[in-house]
Amino acid sequence: MPADRFVVVDISNSFAKIATVRERGLGKVERKATADLDRPFLQSLAVRHAGAPVVLASVVPAKTEIFAALFSRSLFLVHGKAPLGFAIEYPKPSEIGGDRLANAAAALHFWTPPVVVIDFGTATNFDVVNASGAFCGGIIAPGLDLMTDYLHERTALLPRVRLLEPKRGIGRSTVEAIRVGAVHGYRAMIRGLLERIREELGTDRLTAVATGGHAALVARGLAEVACVRPNLTLEGLRVLGQRWLAEPRSGRGARHRARA
């Protein structure tokens, strides 16, 4: 097996993404509902990738424990106290999700800091790397689906809608009005938060990149966002995995796991 072949896994609250890294690139990305990551599926994954190291970012502790048991021989669990190769300027590093740290690793690999990664998931995270190349914090906002689903669930007449680009700025139907509020409103929120980040960092030079489920839709109308990278978190895990596997075996050990 080539030394640079390993598996990267990003487990969010809603979905997991799994990919094999070969020849310094990502293979086909498998997407699966997090609820379906049961032990039989993960056992089949272990058989498919027998012997391959695994680099894991997970925000679902129950799934993390199954991975830790099945891939115990060579597992790199990304967390705030793991050797990541960049500084963390954060009061409690253990509180930082592994996906956010993977985003920071990708940001430093592909762009010159300061960089902010806007990750559109169940929540929308803004992961900030300052000018010195340190992860320094961010912002967590409700995700677009959470907002629109909540409207439907908490009202008698508002429907659940499929999020699409609105045709105008003033909705001419209930569905269109919800889309305007969600898409245009979300863009306005992002503009305001990016401006606040620039002010706090004390710079006009800030690269903003987007990833995650609704990134393409929202970023389409945001000149402030330089580009959309759908699998940026997995790319960050790839970067961290290559760095980890390049360490002397005695230095990296069999695995790194979060400790309470």
Side-chain angles (χ1 to χ4, degrees):
M1 177 186 301
D4 62 350
R5 181 181 181 273
F6 56 97
V7 180
V8 290
V9 183
D10 173 31
I11 304 177
S12 71
N13 288 292
S14 300
F15 291 95
K17 289 184 176 181
I18 304 165
T20 301
V21 176
R22 299 176 187 237
E23 300 297 329
R24 300 185 180 276
L26 291 178
K28 182 179 178 181
V29 177
E30 180 179 0
R31 191 168 183 262
K32 193 168 184 68
T34 298
D36 294 334
L37 293 181
D38 53 17
R39 184 171 287 273
F41 172 79
L42 293 180
Q43 285 174 332
S44 69
L45 188 72
V47 171
R48 272 191 283 155
H49 300 288
V54 174
V55 181
L56 171 66
S58 172
V59 297
V60 185
K63 307 302 181 183
T64 306
E65 288 305 312
I66 300 175
F67 261 93
L70 292 175
F71 296 90
S72 59
R73 291 185 179 180
S74 190
L75 173 70
F76 184 89
L77 179 60
V78 177
H79 57 88
K81 295 184 179 180
L84 303 176
F86 57 87
I88 296 176
E89 297 177 1
Y90 201 83
K92 295 182 179 180
S94 61
E95 292 181 354
I96 308 169
D99 55 339
R100 303 185 69 192
L101 295 169
N103 287 342
L108 285 165
H109 182 76
F110 291 111
W111 297 280
T112 300
V115 184
V116 57
V117 177
I118 309 169
D119 192 344
F120 293 84
T122 306
T124 295
N125 294 332
F126 292 66
D127 304 320
V128 182
V129 176
N130 63 23
S132 63
F135 176 90
C136 64
I139 298 167
I140 300 175
L144 260 174
D145 286 331
L146 275 180
M147 292 171 61
T148 54
D149 287 350
Y150 188 79
L151 278 176
H152 168 67
E153 291 166 4
R154 300 292 292 183
T155 60
L157 297 177
L158 295 182
R160 178 176 278 112
V161 302
R162 181 185 176 200
L163 287 171
L164 300 170
E165 183 69 37
K167 295 180 180 179
R168 53 182 65 86
I170 300 174
R172 301 293 296 275
S173 69
T174 299
V175 168
E176 191 173 49
I178 292 173
R179 285 176 177 155
V180 171
V183 178
H184 290 323
Y186 219 73
R187 286 173 182 156
M189 179 193 75
I190 289 170
R191 287 191 185 99
L193 292 176
L194 287 175
E195 182 58 32
R196 185 61 184 265
I197 291 170
R198 287 191 197 94
E199 291 175 1
E200 192 145 332
L201 292 178
T203 182
D204 290 328
R205 182 180 64 84
L206 176 67
T207 300
V209 297
T211 190
H214 290 300
L217 170 64
V218 178
R220 186 185 305 151
L222 285 172
E224 295 86 346
V225 175
C227 67
V228 175
R229 297 286 286 266
N231 294 313
L232 190 67
T233 307
L234 293 181
E235 291 285 5
L237 293 176
R238 175 181 67 83
V239 170
L240 292 173
Q242 288 169 341
R243 188 174 297 154
W244 170 56
L245 291 171
E247 294 177 3
R249 186 172 295 274
S250 59
R252 62 182 167 92
R255 61 176 173 172
H256 291 279
R257 294 192 57 193
R259 286 174 169 76

